[in-house]
Amino acid sequence: MGPVLELRQVSKAFGASRVVEEVSLEIPRGSFFSLLGPSGCGKTTTLRLVAGFERPDEGEIRLNGAPIGHLKPYERNVSTVFQNYALFPHLTVRGNIEFGLKRRPAGERARRVRKAIEMVRLEGKEDRKPSEISGGERQRVALARSLVVEPEVLLLDEPLAALDPALRKQMRAELKDLQRRTGISFLFVTHDQEEALALSDTIAVMRNGRIEQTGTPEEIYLRPRTRFVANFMGAMNWIDGAGVRPEAMRVMRGPAPSGVRWAQAEVTAAAFLGNLIHLEARLPDGACVTAEMSRLDGSFAPGERVTLWWRQQDELKFPDEPA
Amino acid sequence: MRTIRTIFLAPSALAMLLLVAAPMGIVLIYSFLSRGVYGGIEWPLTLENWRRLADPLYLHILARTIALAAAATALCLVLGFPLALFISRAGPRKNLYLYLVILPFWTSFLVRTYAWMFLLRETGVINVVLMGLGLIREPLGMLYTPGAVLVGLVYGHLPFMVLPLYAALERLDRSLLEAAADLGARPWQAALRVLVPLAAPGIRAGSVLVFIPCLGAYLTPDLLGGSKTVMAGNLIQNQFTQARDWPFGSAAALALMAIILTLLVAWVRREKEPLL
């Protein structure tokens, strides 16, 4: 079977600003696909094009192989979880969840709503209004409301952004679990690279309306194709034009092992973060380097002279791009 | 604190007492007195004025009043809702449109009602134009009909419906309509299932603001309805002027107020929501 959702050379402009430019994507059936990028990169507009809230200027959007670019939102079998959830304030939790099932027979409707409520663990809250439940619960109502209509693709617009950090981590796990259990394809928009790495089967990194790179989390993190992707996916040390991730940077006293790349440095700061130590050091040329190391690998004090070393395969190079 | 509150509330309390409570008390007393020969009031005390209200003639006027006020409210709602929705989405032009909605208030209501007479009468603008176009041969008898009164009431009270509706719709989160469409609701279904329920406070407020003044209207039915479409307001006014029956006028005025109050209380009880 082909991809459940396919975008071919899709472009969208608002006035003079070209928000989405020639975006092509293929979302494999049953997968968790993330659109990752900084704010204003066009990821939310891409999502809205799929939902049907915007019409593409150019290009084609296909759902199960059939073009849907001309269809109204209510004619497309996709469903959106909005960033602010957009729950209907005048309806109860149950009323919200069954909103999309109005044309189904009452028995089936009740059964599906009950199943959805169980799935997101909202039993006992059915008769509450959205204003009477917590942020995490609202999030789950929004998910249930969209999942209950069994969309071909579930579109999620930064659904975790409004939650506090502890809840966000918990909801992240629940989201992944829901996706696995339902088998529904998720198209997930986020600016949080950690979130995208933790959840996705495939990530597409967007920048200025274009797809910069598409790949698995490992590919995107370990083999970024551009300097932008490398920097966006995590902290980066730039030494002689090569990038080294802080966790690939090793610290020791005395000479470096043979066969590795190394540099002398002076420790300028060491922060104990509990599970790891965040070390800052200065190279002889004045450049600052950060290393993340296990507390089991020793401790270093500011002012101490150390050897930094890393394996050559951990270096990221972008010869085509100016430094 | 208490003294400060008392000091600041005293003027309005005094005004309410002198300008509302006292006259009402006087009207209440009048309603139990007898009619003076040349107007005014005379002894003895009587229940006759209240008894006369049950006369089918007056009940008929009351029924017509309620029907016209209800029809005017419904028409204002039907006309006002799309208008308020349009204004709430007009972006930077919002203020201009709101300004246009309240613009008629800058001229006297009397003058504007006269303008309707010029439009509707047999030699009026509408008839002249229709005859000039050859669409009709005889002028239409539009003035001095219940329809003319209805048009006048709707015209005069439309802004009182549009403004609260606008306030309710303007606050509405657009993404709710997107969510409705996303879940398969066609535009008219989204309107019925999301827009109307969420605009309910505005609908309630607007309906009350239109219905109550319409019940008490007397200028519009007087000028556009003539002697054939008398409403409760005209009846009451007549008792104090031509008929010189102050006690009966007082009883009728109080009865109308009581009816309005009863309707409102019943509604609030049923809706379990604040009225405004």
Side-chain angles (χ1 to χ4, degrees):
Chain A
M1 267 203 285
V4 63
L5 179 72
E6 195 179 353
L7 274 71
R8 288 186 193 164
Q9 300 287 309
V10 171
S11 296
K12 174 73 184 173
F14 295 112
S17 93
R18 307 206 294 194
V19 183
V20 173
E21 287 200 72
E22 294 171 12
V23 162
S24 295
L25 293 173
E26 279 192 8
I27 294 165
R29 194 172 302 276
S31 75
F32 199 118
F33 192 104
S34 291
L35 270 179
L36 173 67
S39 64
C41 72
K43 57 191 190 299
T44 293
T45 304
T46 306
L47 196 81
R48 292 175 59 82
L49 285 164
V50 176
F53 303 137
E54 313 286 351
R55 291 286 176 99
D57 298 333
E58 278 166 61
E60 204 172 59
I61 302 173
R62 287 171 169 265
L63 190 67
N64 285 328
I68 58 163
H70 59 288
L71 295 179
K72 302 275 188 196
Y74 48 83
E75 295 164 331
R76 303 182 180 200
N77 195 14
V78 298
S79 190
T80 310
V81 175
F82 292 80
Q83 183 166 8
N84 65 356
Y85 313 143
L87 298 181
F88 304 116
H90 60 298
L91 299 177
T92 59
V93 166
R94 182 186 287 109
N96 268 281
I97 294 175
E98 68 180 8
F99 191 94
L101 297 176
K102 273 290 178 240
R103 271 171 299 170
R104 317 262 175 177
E108 184 199 342
R109 197 162 68 211
R111 185 176 52 76
R112 279 170 73 167
V113 168
R114 197 175 339 109
K115 209 177 109 202
I117 286 174
E118 273 168 31
M119 191 164 62
V120 296
R121 295 186 285 105
L122 280 168
E123 297 98 332
K125 313 260 169 157
E126 292 93 336
D127 297 320
R128 305 265 186 96
K129 292 278 180 74
S131 57
E132 297 163 343
I133 56 177
S134 72
E137 287 166 347
R138 265 176 233 159
Q139 156 93 80
R140 299 212 287 263
V141 175
L143 277 166
R145 182 177 73 172
S146 284
L147 285 171
V148 80
V149 300
E150 293 175 358
E152 295 285 345
V153 182
L154 185 70
L155 311 171
L156 302 110
D157 186 7
E158 306 241 8
L160 306 178
L163 302 175
D164 63 70
L167 198 54
R168 200 178 305 165
K169 287 228 162 118
Q170 185 201 330
M171 281 310 298
R172 197 194 274 178
E174 283 187 29
L175 212 54
K176 184 76 187 171
D177 187 49
L178 267 180
Q179 195 266 326
R180 261 195 222 113
R181 277 193 291 159
T182 58
I184 290 175
S185 315
F186 278 29
L187 176 54
F188 181 82
V189 158
T190 181
H191 66 269
D192 184 328
Q193 91 286 355
E194 202 184 309
E195 218 164 82
L197 288 172
L199 290 169
S200 316
D201 297 313
T202 314
I203 299 174
V205 182
M206 276 189 87
R207 178 197 192 188
N208 296 335
R210 292 177 181 277
I211 303 283
E212 193 95 348
Q213 183 175 356
T214 306
T216 64
E218 289 83 0
E219 282 166 356
I220 299 278
Y221 187 83
L222 298 175
R223 292 190 292 285
R225 264 213 298 272
T226 65
R227 205 171 268 273
F228 171 81
V229 174
N231 279 320
F232 192 77
M233 295 313 295
M236 205 49 136
N237 295 304
W238 294 100
I239 302 169
D240 298 332
V244 184
R245 298 259 183 227
E247 74 277 6
M249 191 69 85
R250 316 293 289 269
V251 190
M252 64 180 294
R253 298 185 180 91
S258 61
V260 301
R261 316 269 276 161
W262 59 273
Q264 293 290 333
E266 183 190 329
V267 176
T268 53
F272 178 70
L273 301 179
N275 58 340
L276 47 80
I277 291 172
H278 185 90
L279 203 81
E280 283 180 30
R282 193 165 45 225
L283 300 179
D285 65 359
C288 277
V289 170
T290 63
E292 268 168 15
M293 49 184 283
S294 162
R295 65 183 166 79
L296 305 176
D297 292 343
S299 69
F300 300 89
E304 203 172 332
R305 297 202 60 82
V306 293
T307 304
L308 299 174
W309 65 270
W310 60 94
R311 300 181 306 172
Q312 193 163 359
Q313 67 257 44
D314 287 329
E315 279 189 349
L316 300 170
K317 290 191 174 172
F318 306 97
D320 303 339
E321 287 181 79
Chain B
M1 267 317 283
R2 282 193 67 98
T3 31
I4 293 178
R5 200 165 64 183
T6 312
I7 290 167
F8 277 95
L9 284 177
S12 48
L14 195 68
M16 291 291 277
L17 199 70
L18 282 178
L19 302 176
V20 178
M24 293 267 291
I26 293 171
V27 170
L28 184 66
I29 294 166
Y30 276 19
S31 74
F32 290 105
L33 292 172
S34 306
R35 171 187 178 183
V37 184
Y38 304 104
I41 34 139
E42 280 177 8
W43 295 101
L45 285 168
T46 172
L47 287 174
E48 180 53 27
N49 303 311
W50 289 92
R51 217 170 275 137
R52 263 176 72 199
L53 284 174
D55 186 311
L57 174 69
Y58 302 125
L59 291 180
H60 184 71
I61 292 177
L62 178 67
R64 178 194 290 139
T65 305
I66 292 175
L68 273 172
T73 308
L75 264 176
C76 279
L77 186 57
V78 169
L79 294 173
F81 199 91
L83 180 58
L85 190 61
F86 168 77
I87 297 173
S88 73
R89 298 184 172 185
R93 291 230 175 124
K94 263 181 206 176
N95 284 333
L96 171 69
Y97 294 141
L98 282 177
Y99 190 79
L100 290 176
V101 166
I102 56 172
L103 194 65
F105 291 139
W106 287 42
T107 26
S108 138
F109 184 57
L110 185 64
V111 172
R112 287 183 282 135
T113 308
Y114 269 117
W116 273 106
M117 293 177 72
F118 282 107
L119 284 172
L120 296 176
R121 66 184 181 182
E122 296 205 346
T123 55
V125 176
I126 294 173
N127 275 321
V128 168
V129 169
L130 288 179
M131 291 207 303
L133 290 172
L135 292 172
I136 51 171
R137 290 219 194 103
E138 302 278 304
L140 300 172
M142 291 179 289
L143 194 56
Y144 307 130
T145 63
V149 176
L150 188 58
V151 166
L153 289 176
V154 169
Y155 164 77
H157 296 90
L158 192 56
F160 297 110
M161 183 62 89
V162 171
L163 295 178
L165 281 178
Y166 165 79
L169 291 170
E170 207 259 343
R171 266 176 303 184
L172 194 111
D173 181 357
R174 285 289 289 275
S175 66
L176 293 177
L177 290 176
E178 287 185 346
D182 195 64
L183 294 164
R186 285 161 189 284
W188 63 271
Q189 291 168 323
L192 282 182
R193 294 176 63 193
V194 178
L195 217 49
V196 170
L198 289 176
I203 294 175
R204 267 197 298 272
S207 300
V208 168
L209 287 177
V210 172
F211 185 66
I212 293 177
C214 282
L215 276 184
Y218 73 91
L219 188 63
T220 309
D222 198 35
L223 295 181
L224 302 179
S227 55
K228 277 183 277 176
T229 316
V230 175
M231 286 175 70
N234 310 106
L235 174 72
I236 294 165
Q237 186 205 15
N238 258 327
Q239 302 313 310
F240 286 93
T241 52
Q242 284 135 355
R244 293 188 192 169
D245 193 344
W246 292 15
F248 181 62
S250 300
L254 287 174
L256 186 61
M257 282 180 63
I259 289 165
I260 294 174
L261 216 64
T262 311
L263 285 177
L264 286 184
V265 170
W267 196 23
V268 171
R269 286 259 172 90
R270 196 172 64 87
E271 296 279 322
K272 295 191 180 68
E273 296 267 353
L275 203 55
L276 294 176

